[in-house]
Amino acid sequence: MDLTLKKIVEESTFNHKDAYELGAKLIAIGDAEETMEIIDSDPVLQKLIKQNEYKIIQAKKEQLEKELKDL
């Protein structure tokens, strides 16, 4: 499981916290390695992961915009 999480972090465009959050979600739905194999072969699951990634990016964007506005 640790190796799968490290792979998620290393291949992620997000910071470690975000990548581990995504990894934790994968683990929560089952075995991480098996889940990664399933995701790699299932476009619907890939879309769900992308939607989660988008939500993280959107939240960061909103936070940065708020911080910029407050300056």
Side-chain angles (χ1 to χ4, degrees):
M1 185 164 40
D2 281 345
L3 293 176
T4 302
L5 283 176
K6 286 178 184 176
K7 181 179 177 188
I8 291 168
V9 172
E10 290 169 358
E11 294 179 358
S12 175
T13 58
F14 303 110
N15 65 35
H16 282 68
K17 177 185 173 288
D18 295 336
Y20 274 102
E21 181 180 327
L22 289 171
K25 288 179 182 180
L26 293 174
I27 292 167
I29 62 172
D31 178 67
E33 289 181 33
E34 181 181 334
T35 301
M36 291 302 296
E37 290 173 10
I38 292 169
I39 289 170
D40 287 342
S41 64
D42 188 334
V44 174
L45 292 176
Q46 289 177 1
K47 182 179 179 180
L48 290 172
I49 294 295
K50 291 294 179 190
Q51 288 172 338
N52 281 324
E53 291 172 344
Y54 176 81
K55 288 177 187 177
I56 292 169
I57 292 170
Q58 191 65 29
K60 281 185 177 187
K61 178 185 173 222
E62 291 171 6
Q63 179 63 32
L64 289 171
E65 287 174 342
K66 181 183 180 301
E67 289 174 12
L68 184 61
K69 193 175 191 179
D70 292 344
L71 288 177

